[in-house]
Amino acid sequence: MHYWKKSCITLSLATVLLSGCSVFKDEPDSRVQRQQVTLDIPADLATPRQPGKYDIPQSDMAVGDVAETSPVLVLATASSSRITDESEKLARVMFERNDLTGDLIPFLQTQLTNYFSAQDIQIKATDDANLNFETGWIKRYRSEGFWLWQDEQQLDEARYTISIEPRPHGRTAIMSVSLLEHRFFDKQAQLTKAAARDSEVKLLNSLINQVAVSEIETAVANRDRVPEVDLEPGLNSAGEPAFITPQSIDVTWSQLEPVFEQLNFTVNDINRSAFTYYVSYSKPGRGMWATMMGREAPPVLPIADSDYQIVLQRSAEGTVINLLTKEGKPLAADVIVAAYDPFVAAIRAAKVEL
């Protein structure tokens, strides 16, 4: 009997729960009917205010051109170039002066001339300051046919204006490109507003790339440039033989360690406050591989393998480099003179300015 009662109670509870689900669930038809109910407003009552915050207003304006492809983006590939605005609708870019550009405005003017000269396209300045330019016709072709019967058919041609707007401080300038005139010979080449902007950006990106290539060429030339050596043998304030460089003492201090590596000096200790290096010298040997590869022999100093001091002193001419023995005695004048050429070779190999 107890089991029968439990099962009856359980069955009754399940029936109630199942019926409860149908109570709280609307049928699809009832939802539709509820949404379509309209209010009957008595004549003596005002109609309730219905907010139109999300209503779409009617418009008689013509539908604008819709681009089928993503817009062409300005690519600041040169180290001196900066994008002025991510949402910029104009084809323009900012250039900043750096070590690779030098004087910015003449640099940009030269790059414009070089680019259009290489493309065999005319360009002329329209102002006395050479900051505004107009290009000749830039033509675009499409290849038709194949192999020996291939032919080039001109699609369109365009002219552009290019302007350089320097800032008063002279460190930055804005370069912008605008379409001046367009002629098409194929209806498919007719430019929409979006396509015209894309053509402007494409030309601007080509000019930025011209600047980037020039910067790379300058960087490579600077890397391979043999630095001028201003180091000379002379006398310190006590009349002792030494080397003299026009560089300041701080610059000289920071550039000596690469020279030590070339001369096979080992730095054992330093005293920055006294501008003193404590070094050990051993004559460099020329390895078998260096001999087989035809490399130049490392510079060899005319001194014995031992410990030395190299002490810097300020002077009116720049910085004095004193070569001293371990005990602090200056090396002989003939040793300093003989050590000059190895020091110059080491400075050039280390590519520092001394």
Side-chain angles (χ1 to χ4, degrees):
M1 291 295 292
H2 293 289
Y3 293 106
W4 180 82
K5 289 182 179 179
K6 286 183 179 180
S7 60
C8 289
I9 294 172
T10 303
L11 180 60
S12 301
L13 181 60
T15 304
V16 171
L17 291 175
L18 290 173
S19 62
C21 294
S22 62
V23 170
F24 294 105
K25 182 178 179 181
D26 287 342
E27 296 296 330
D29 294 340
S30 65
R31 289 202 302 268
V32 173
Q33 292 175 2
R34 185 178 61 210
Q35 292 173 358
Q36 294 177 351
V37 171
T38 57
L39 296 177
D40 294 330
I41 309 300
D44 57 341
L45 296 179
T47 303
R49 181 174 175 271
Q50 296 181 359
K53 181 178 180 180
Y54 300 106
D55 292 346
I56 301 175
Q58 296 293 330
S59 176
D60 297 331
M61 296 179 61
V63 178
D65 295 329
V66 178
E68 296 180 355
T69 59
S70 300
V72 179
L73 302 178
V74 177
L75 303 177
T77 54
S79 65
S80 59
S81 60
R82 301 288 183 272
I83 296 175
T84 56
D85 187 359
E86 292 292 345
S87 60
E88 184 62 71
K89 296 182 179 180
L90 301 177
R92 65 180 186 177
V93 70
M94 175 183 289
F95 288 100
E96 297 177 346
R97 175 175 178 169
N98 58 27
D99 294 338
L100 300 177
T101 64
D103 198 359
L104 185 59
I105 301 305
F107 173 77
L108 294 178
Q109 292 168 337
T110 301
Q111 299 313 312
L112 283 178
T113 302
N114 292 344
Y115 173 79
F116 287 106
S117 177
Q119 301 294 325
D120 197 21
I121 299 172
Q122 294 182 350
I123 183 172
K124 64 177 182 179
T126 58
D127 63 337
D128 296 334
N130 290 337
L131 295 177
N132 297 290
F133 303 86
E134 289 184 3
T135 71
W137 290 103
I138 301 176
K139 302 178 181 180
R140 194 161 59 97
Y141 295 88
R142 179 178 60 201
S143 298
E144 293 185 346
F146 63 97
W147 199 32
L148 297 177
W149 296 272
Q150 192 170 13
D151 189 20
E152 297 286 333
Q153 181 179 358
Q154 185 175 350
L155 297 179
D156 63 358
E157 56 186 11
R159 296 173 58 237
Y160 298 85
T161 59
I162 302 171
S163 64
I164 301 174
E165 304 173 27
R167 293 295 182 259
H169 48 67
R171 295 188 299 275
T172 62
I174 297 289
M175 179 182 289
S176 58
V177 176
S178 300
L179 181 64
L180 180 62
E181 189 176 358
H182 178 257
R183 296 192 302 208
F184 63 93
F185 309 100
D186 186 332
K187 285 191 175 182
Q188 294 181 355
Q190 185 177 2
L191 295 180
T192 62
K193 185 177 180 181
R197 191 261 179 189
D198 287 350
S199 68
E200 295 170 347
V201 174
K202 288 178 181 178
L203 177 57
L204 179 61
N205 285 339
S206 298
L207 297 175
I208 297 173
N209 186 65
Q210 170 71 26
V211 172
V213 171
S214 179
E215 290 176 345
I216 293 173
E217 291 174 348
T218 302
V220 171
N222 290 343
R223 183 194 64 188
D224 297 337
R225 179 176 58 88
V226 177
E228 296 182 1
V229 179
D230 296 322
L231 188 75
E232 293 181 352
L235 300 175
N236 59 18
S237 58
E240 300 166 341
F243 293 135
I244 299 176
T245 175
Q247 298 289 351
S248 67
I249 193 168
D250 292 319
V251 172
T252 303
W253 175 268
S254 65
Q255 297 191 101
L256 270 182
E257 289 199 31
V259 178
F260 293 160
E261 293 179 5
Q262 297 294 327
L263 292 172
N264 214 38
F265 274 118
T266 300
V267 178
N268 300 321
D269 198 2
I270 60 174
N271 186 342
R272 181 66 173 81
S273 60
F275 292 101
T276 301
Y277 281 100
Y278 299 93
V279 298
S280 297
Y281 178 74
S282 60
K283 287 184 171 58
R286 191 177 186 185
M288 180 185 66
W289 288 111
T291 303
M292 293 177 62
M293 296 297 293
R295 297 176 183 172
E296 294 184 2
V300 180
L301 292 172
I303 56 177
D305 294 358
S306 182
D307 295 335
Y308 296 89
Q309 296 182 30
I310 298 180
V311 182
L312 308 186
Q313 293 176 332
R314 290 186 175 88
S315 71
E317 293 82 9
T319 304
V320 176
I321 303 176
N322 296 284
L323 276 68
L324 311 176
T325 63
K326 181 173 61 175
E327 293 78 16
K329 297 181 179 179
L331 300 183
D334 58 338
V335 175
I336 297 297
V337 172
Y340 175 73
D341 287 339
F343 255 90
V344 170
I347 290 171
R348 286 175 174 163
K351 298 185 183 300
V352 297
E353 297 181 1
L354 285 176

